[in-house]
């Protein structure tokens, strides 16, 4: 198949300066909520981390909370992304919502979520997901699928009739934004782009060429 002929014009919405809120986190929340009306997959975002040697690496994670501190997601603290974040806290996330022809990019530095919040979220997860977190040495190589299934059974037995505690190696991260960009697809590739950056204790936005 030739990908050169795959084309589409973006015509659904516009992004005017007058649509831009003072606080881009509120604006991201509005866009996310709109996107979620179509499908719950809208909470998926591509997270890029960079190793100490400067090699980037991307994968999808789910946004679990958005507040004044930034974008919150959960993961394994021994995974590849976690070891990269430990060496280099700079990260970026990208949302793409084709059904509203929108993209949002967030760049910033990452810190761990306070443990009490990770505990509370872990507690709210389905039991199978809690057990799954214990069973997985995320990003490590394994010998076969059986190894994972066996671990899942072992952990299930270990915590039978007990609450599953949060593993120390699993928890949340906050991406503290230093840049948030809203992209709205427009006709003829004349897309709208609005970039927010912090300025004197508030946010300032600028329009970018598409
Ligand atoms: C839709 C979707 C949602 C995902 N959500 C998460 C998540 O919230 N946290 C997570 O650690 N991995 C999540 N993953 C798995 C990651 O993409 C990735 O495979 C895993 O975190 C290991 O990444 P790493 O080896 O780069 O650390 C998700 C994958 C998909 C496709």
């Amino acid at each position: 198949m030739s990908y050169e002929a795959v084309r589409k014009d973006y015509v659904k919405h516009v992004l005017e300066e007058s649509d831009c809120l003072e606080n881009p986190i509120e604006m991201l929340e509005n866009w996310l909520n709109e996107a979620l009306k179509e499908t719950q997959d809208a909470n998926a975002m591509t997270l890029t981390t960079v190793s100490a040697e400067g090699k980037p690496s991307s994968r999808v994670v789910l946004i679990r909370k958005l507040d004044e501190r930034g974008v919150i997601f959960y993961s394994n603290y021994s995974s590849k992304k976690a070891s990269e974040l430990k060496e280099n806290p700079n990260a970026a996330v990208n949302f793409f919502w084709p059904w509203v022809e929108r993209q949002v990019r967030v760049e910033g530095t990452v810190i761990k979520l306070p443990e009490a919040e990770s505990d509370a979220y872990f507690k709210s997860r389905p039991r199978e997901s809690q057990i799954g977190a214990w069973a997985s040495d995320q990003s490590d190589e394994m010998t076969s699928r059986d190894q994972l299934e066996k671990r899942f059974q072992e952990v299930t037995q270990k915590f039978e009739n007990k609450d599953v505690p949060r593993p120390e190696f699993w928890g949340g991260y906050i991406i503290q934004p230093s840049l948030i960009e809203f992209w709205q697809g427009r006709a003829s590739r004349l897309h709208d782009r609005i970039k927010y950056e912090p300025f004197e204790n508030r946010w300032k936005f600028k329009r970018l060429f598409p």
Side-chain angles (χ1 to χ4, degrees):
M1 181 175 173
S2 162
Y3 304 122
E4 291 175 354
V6 180
R7 290 180 187 285
K8 123 175 202 196
D9 230 12
Y10 300 107
V11 293
K12 287 191 176 161
H13 301 283
V14 303
L15 175 57
E16 310 268 20
E17 277 76 356
S18 58
D19 301 319
C20 291
L21 303 184
E22 249 176 60
N23 183 345
I25 293 176
E26 263 174 53
M27 187 152 151
L28 171 55
E29 189 178 10
N30 291 349
W31 275 31
L32 178 59
N33 292 349
E34 266 179 61
L36 278 165
K37 283 183 197 158
E38 178 80 20
T39 161
Q40 65 179 37
D41 290 330
N43 64 354
M45 53 189 186
T46 301
L47 164 74
T48 301
T49 53
V50 184
S51 70
E53 300 78 46
K55 273 177 70 183
S57 166
S58 298
R59 79 290 288 155
V60 173
V61 295
L62 300 179
I63 184 170
R64 285 301 181 202
K65 195 171 184 183
L66 179 64
D67 64 25
E68 273 319 297
R69 296 171 296 175
V71 173
I72 292 166
F73 67 95
Y74 291 88
S75 194
N76 182 303
Y77 286 152
S78 307
S79 61
K80 173 170 172 163
K81 72 182 86 51
S83 51
E84 293 189 346
L85 287 170
K86 208 166 163 187
E87 296 165 347
N88 180 347
N90 294 301
V93 282
N94 185 274
F95 295 92
F96 175 44
W97 301 306
W99 53 97
V100 281
E101 302 174 345
R102 285 173 172 170
Q103 166 183 226
V104 179
R105 53 205 279 188
V106 179
E107 297 173 10
T109 51
V110 174
I111 55 169
K112 278 186 181 173
L113 193 69
E115 287 191 13
E117 277 182 73
S118 289
D119 286 340
Y121 174 70
F122 189 82
K123 219 171 167 181
S124 77
R125 299 181 88 208
R127 192 173 174 84
E128 291 69 32
S129 307
Q130 294 174 334
I131 293 171
W134 276 100
S136 174
D137 291 334
Q138 192 176 57
S139 315
D140 280 4
E141 291 179 7
M142 55 196 282
T143 48
S144 71
R145 170 97 202 168
D146 288 349
Q147 197 186 350
L148 179 63
E149 307 273 358
K150 201 165 154 250
R151 284 226 199 154
F152 188 88
Q153 294 312 327
E154 283 165 6
V155 179
T156 303
Q157 275 167 19
K158 181 174 171 192
F159 293 116
E160 206 178 1
N161 302 320
K162 290 187 203 134
D163 284 345
V164 183
R166 176 178 67 88
E168 262 180 29
F169 58 80
W170 191 98
Y173 287 103
I174 309 171
I175 306 166
Q176 308 170 106
S178 52
L179 180 149
I180 303 183
E181 183 199 313
F182 296 87
W183 182 99
Q184 177 68 64
R186 298 287 304 273
S188 313
R189 300 292 182 264
L190 304 181
H191 313 301
D192 289 323
R193 293 180 65 191
I194 299 283
K195 174 186 77 168
Y196 283 79
E197 283 176 308
F199 177 73
E200 291 178 353
N201 291 326
R202 58 190 180 89
W203 291 90
K204 202 171 170 179
F205 67 79
K206 290 266 191 272
R207 182 174 284 273
L208 303 179
F209 278 103

